[in-house]
Amino acid sequence: MKTIYPKDLPVPEFHALLQGSVAPRPIAFASTIDSEGNVNLSPFSFFNLFSTNPPILVFSPSRRVRDNTTKHTLENVHEVPEVVIHVVHYGMVEQMSLASTEYPKGVDEFVKAGFTAVPSSQVKPPRIKEARVSMECKVNEVKSLGDTGGAGNLVICEVLCVHVDEDILDEKGIIDPNKLDLVARLGGNWYSRTNGSCLFEIPKPLRTLGIGVDQIPEDIRNSAILTGNNLGRLGNVESLPSEEEIEKFGEKPEIQEMRVRFQNDPASWADHLHLLAKETLEEGDVEKAWLILLQKP
């Protein structure tokens, strides 16, 4: 394991190290306007949601590493403390990238990137018609984190209203991540796409008190087959199956066949149980996985 301290590397290299490590990052595609009415549109991947009540988003237009200059977006929010933050879906990622070009002040990135500007309802900057989610915000505060190249500027935004494309909602009115098809930023020129096989669900342990990995029987906890993720899922149950349930499950033909096959080979019996449980966990059936793992030879 290599240990690196910020002073060990030139700022551009440490910047790249952080961007490659803290990823993927959501992208704030920010529309702003200056005091003379010039519109700017620029993406920022130092961005996230920090509060729901009040609804607060924060993004950071950092000072440029190479020459310590500031971006038009930062200048604009000081002049007109309003912004529209759009999330970026795959169908607009190339145009979004083009809008990150450092055009001179006064050049409209809506036009350069081929987006349609439509009026916002609560703020002066326009919003992108092609975006699937747009959040009109007032800027509550801009907090500088330094005055050298690479220093961030936290733009703390309060959401006034949200525009959502109804086509991305499921039958319950909740955003479907497959339909939204978000794009996130990694290091260098790399992006990721949240769609298809890249998406997976993990039950949140909010309403249950999981037994924890420490309460998993030692032979299972020290398995050479089960991964840390497998153990985490196993430890998220409130209780283990009853002896009656375990015994009844053990009557299944596939378990009986394994019991006969490995009656003189306890190590292989355990390995095959763990392999079967691993497959079952990856199919999402935690209860069945526990019934498999707790079988006796």
Side-chain angles (χ1 to χ4, degrees), residues 254-262 269 272-273 276:
E254 60 268 32
I255 301 298
Q256 294 281 21
E257 186 276 330
M258 285 176 58
R259 188 172 279 119
V260 171
R261 182 158 38 119
F262 300 113
W269 159 260
H272 278 75
L273 281 182
L276 182 58

Side-chain angles (χ1 to χ4, degrees), residues 158-286:
E158 182 172 344
V159 179
L160 302 178
C161 70
V162 182
H163 305 276
V164 182
D165 183 347
E166 292 181 274
D167 287 342
I168 67 171
L169 303 179
D170 64 17
E171 63 279 1
K172 296 179 181 178
I174 298 172
I175 290 177
D176 182 331
N178 285 289
K179 294 178 180 179
L180 181 53
D181 200 5
L182 282 176
V183 168
R185 194 77 166 86
L186 289 86
N189 294 327
W190 290 98
Y191 292 81
S192 65
R193 182 180 183 182
T194 56
N195 194 291
S197 61
C198 293
L199 294 172
F200 57 93
E201 291 184 284
I202 298 177
K204 288 186 178 181
L206 297 178
R207 297 180 178 85
T208 60
L209 186 63
I211 62 171
V213 172
D214 62 318
Q215 296 301 307
I216 295 175
E218 187 176 358
D219 62 317
I220 298 172
R221 191 168 68 245
N222 295 330
S223 170
I225 293 168
L226 298 171
T227 67
N229 277 337
N230 295 150
L231 296 176
R233 181 63 67 91
L234 289 169
N236 194 31
V237 297
E238 286 190 281
S239 61
L240 299 183
S242 67
E243 289 296 332
E244 182 181 354
E245 290 171 320
I246 297 168
E247 185 176 342
K248 183 176 180 181
F249 186 85
E251 296 171 359
K252 290 183 175 294
E254 60 268 32
I255 301 298
Q256 294 281 21
E257 186 276 330
M258 285 176 58
R259 188 172 279 119
V260 171
R261 182 158 38 119
F262 300 113
Q263 59 184 327
N264 297 317
D265 189 353
S268 292
W269 159 260
D271 284 350
H272 278 75
L273 281 182
H274 290 194
L275 283 167
L276 182 58
K278 181 179 175 67
E279 293 174 5
T280 305
L281 279 170
E282 290 170 355
E283 292 169 358
D285 195 337
V286 184

